[in-house]
Each structure stands twice: as C-alpha cells, then as structure tokens.
Amino acid sequence: MKVGPVRRGGERRIAGFAALGTAAPTVEAKQVEELGLHDPTLDLRDEAVFLLHAAAEVEHSLLVQYLYAAYSLRASGGATAPARLPEWRMQLLQVAREEMCHFISVQNLLRLIGGPLNFEREDFPFRSEIYPFMMTLEPLTIDSVAKYVSAEMPKDLANRARSDTTGDPELAAVRHILDTAQAANGGYAINQVGFLFSRLMDIFSALSEEVFRIDVVGYLARAEDWTIRRPSNESKRFLVLPKLPDNFDAMIDAEKRKVLKAGAQQAIEQIA
C-alpha cells in the first residue's frame, strides 16, 4: 500500500495542550494521482471512501484511548494527588466527546457519497502512516500525553520543530514532546492526524456534485443532537451535518447536491 504521511494538519487541542490543502479545480487523471494515497490508484470517490474508512478507525481508536486515560484518573486522588486532577479528567472526557462527534461526522460523510459505514478500529499490529500511533489502552502518563499532543498538533509545527537549527526554545519544547512520544511508540515517529483530513478536503473539493446522494439526508446524524456543553457552560455545536436551508426540499436536485457538497466540506474543515 502506498501511503504518504497522513495526519491532522489543522489545529486542535488535547487536555488544554497544543492546512488545509488547496482544492484542485477539475477532476482529471492527474488529480487522482496527486491526491490519492491508495496503490493501485482509485478514482476520487473510491479514494474518498478509503480515506474516510481510515479516518473512522482513527477517530474510534482515539476516543476510546482518551476515555481510558480519563477514567484512569480518580475523581479524588487523596492528599498526594495533584490539585488539578479533576480538571485534567474533565478535559480528557471533553476531548473524547469531541472525537465522538468527529466519528459520527465521518459516518455522515460516508453516507453522503454512498460509502459503507465503518465502526472498526485500527488493526493491530498493522503499521502505516494512516494511523497516528499504535493503539494502546493505558493510564494517563507523560508518555501517553506526549503521544496525544504529537498526534493532534499541526503537521507544519512538527516539521518545523524537527528541522529547527536556531535553538528556538518553543520549538525545542515541541521537539522534546515529539521525541518522548516516538520513544513511547516503539521508536516509530507519531503521524499528525490533520493531514488525513487535509487530504480529504482536497478530494471533496474535487469531487463531482453528482456523487452526493440526496436520498440519504433523512438518515444522517443531526448537528442539534451533538451539542456539547463545556464545564464553563459554553456550548459548542459540531457540524456533523451543517443545517440545511429552510427551502432545501423545494430546491432542484442539482442545487441540493451543491448544498450537500458545501456542507460536507465545512464538516471536514471543522474536524481538521
């Protein structure tokens, strides 16, 4: 399998820590070659399904690891426990919930382009740049946090930290996190998750609107069902499926597909 370095290049945080690509203008054989990660080359729609399946497995794996790490922290650790332990647990649970929203978003995207749903996790011990690191259910430690932070950080930041020769203290700190994570991952470098969604953004930009299915709209998870209330009482609604226009049903099919494509791109952008 020909798989380039694939991971989340957009900015996201894990427990209080710390590119989208450009859209191709037309669907041509050259585009498929440039955007595809699968060997042999697939057409754009099948490549999108392939990468969405990988994204579903990544999100599923991350959410269960975050949940396990969160519940490894006792709500009350006694006199010797760090004072911020309950806050750390709450932050990890929050991130796990956000990963659940990303996971259901990926299922919506699969439905929209007629792909089969995927509720699997990564196959162990399969090693590929599709996945950020080897899935391990483990308590929260410095090593596990380093893996989570490395996977969620922007890819360009990781690249700058690894290539820096100026002695910049912030980049040196990032390099230390990356090195700690790599050592904890059996010596394998951590892949940033965002580049996968950046690649998906490129592919969805290039997909024909004819690929998007109108008949599945009534079966998609809805954004209003996935509002998360943060400890600060701030609500964040995820674009698992952006709200459709009030006149959506009255639109002609071509307009509906245009709306669905734009909504899919918005959802991927938010995940990234």
Side-chain angles (χ1 to χ4, degrees):
M1 180 181 293
K2 178 191 72 176
V3 183
V6 186
R7 289 295 56 125
R8 191 173 328 216
E11 190 140 6
R12 283 199 24 216
R13 296 178 300 166
I14 165 68
F17 302 99
L20 295 174
T22 56
T26 58
V27 180
E28 301 172 348
K30 183 179 179 181
Q31 270 189 305
V32 177
E33 182 65 27
E34 290 176 349
L35 297 178
L37 295 175
H38 191 279
D39 188 10
T41 301
L42 304 173
D43 67 32
L44 279 182
R45 182 265 180 193
D46 291 343
E47 184 74 26
V49 172
F50 166 69
L51 292 181
L52 286 171
H53 274 207
E57 293 170 9
V58 167
E59 298 294 354
H60 195 178
S61 295
L62 287 175
L63 77 88
V64 295
Q65 288 174 97
Y66 292 155
L67 285 173
Y68 191 98
Y71 285 108
S72 74
L73 300 174
R74 290 179 293 175
S76 177
T80 61
R84 296 183 62 188
L85 187 149
E87 178 187 348
W88 296 341
R89 186 184 191 191
M90 183 64 70
Q91 288 176 326
L92 276 168
L93 289 174
Q94 176 66 27
V95 174
R97 294 185 187 102
E98 293 180 6
E99 297 296 349
M100 295 176 193
C101 290
H102 297 162
F103 180 68
I104 198 64
S105 299
V106 171
Q107 307 305 324
N108 270 352
L109 293 168
L110 282 166
R111 275 196 181 277
L112 279 175
I113 62 173
L117 303 184
N118 184 19
F119 298 97
E120 300 296 326
R121 296 192 296 269
E122 63 182 87
D123 293 328
F124 181 82
F126 179 68
R127 171 67 192 164
S128 159
E129 284 86 7
I130 287 286
Y131 302 110
F133 50 80
M134 291 181 284
M135 179 181 168
T136 307
L137 296 179
E138 57 186 334
L140 189 70
T141 64
I142 293 297
D143 287 350
S144 64
V145 169
K147 290 192 293 185
Y148 304 152
V149 173
S150 297
E152 301 282 5
M153 74 171 56
K155 185 173 180 61
D156 65 331
L157 175 60
N159 289 340
R160 285 191 290 116
R162 290 205 175 279
S163 62
D164 180 64
T165 58
T166 66
D168 182 288
E170 292 185 359
L171 291 178
V174 173
R175 175 65 181 266
H176 177 69
I177 293 172
L178 292 168
D179 289 344
T180 300
Q182 182 169 337
N185 193 42
Y188 293 104
I190 304 296
N191 300 305
Q192 280 66 55
V193 180
F195 188 55
L196 172 59
F197 288 96
S198 175
R199 190 63 65 97
L200 277 166
M201 191 67 182
D202 290 342
I203 291 176
F204 268 73
S205 296
L207 279 176
S208 166
E209 292 168 2
E210 293 300 317
V211 169
F212 293 84
R213 296 183 53 176
I214 302 169
D215 59 317
V216 302
V217 170
Y219 301 96
L220 299 175
R222 300 175 301 169
E224 52 266 32
D225 295 331
W226 287 88
T227 298
I228 291 179
R229 185 162 298 282
R230 300 179 181 277
S232 63
N233 290 326
E234 171 194 355
S235 292
K236 180 174 182 180
R237 178 163 292 176
F238 284 83
L239 293 175
V240 292
L241 177 67
K243 182 175 174 57
L244 299 176
D246 293 337
N247 64 336
F248 181 80
D249 290 339
M251 290 179 174
I252 62 174
D253 286 355
E255 291 176 338
K256 289 180 179 179
R257 292 191 178 94
K258 187 184 295 290
V259 167
L260 293 177
K261 177 176 178 176
Q265 290 175 274
Q266 290 175 19
I268 295 172
E269 183 174 3
Q270 184 176 37
I271 297 173

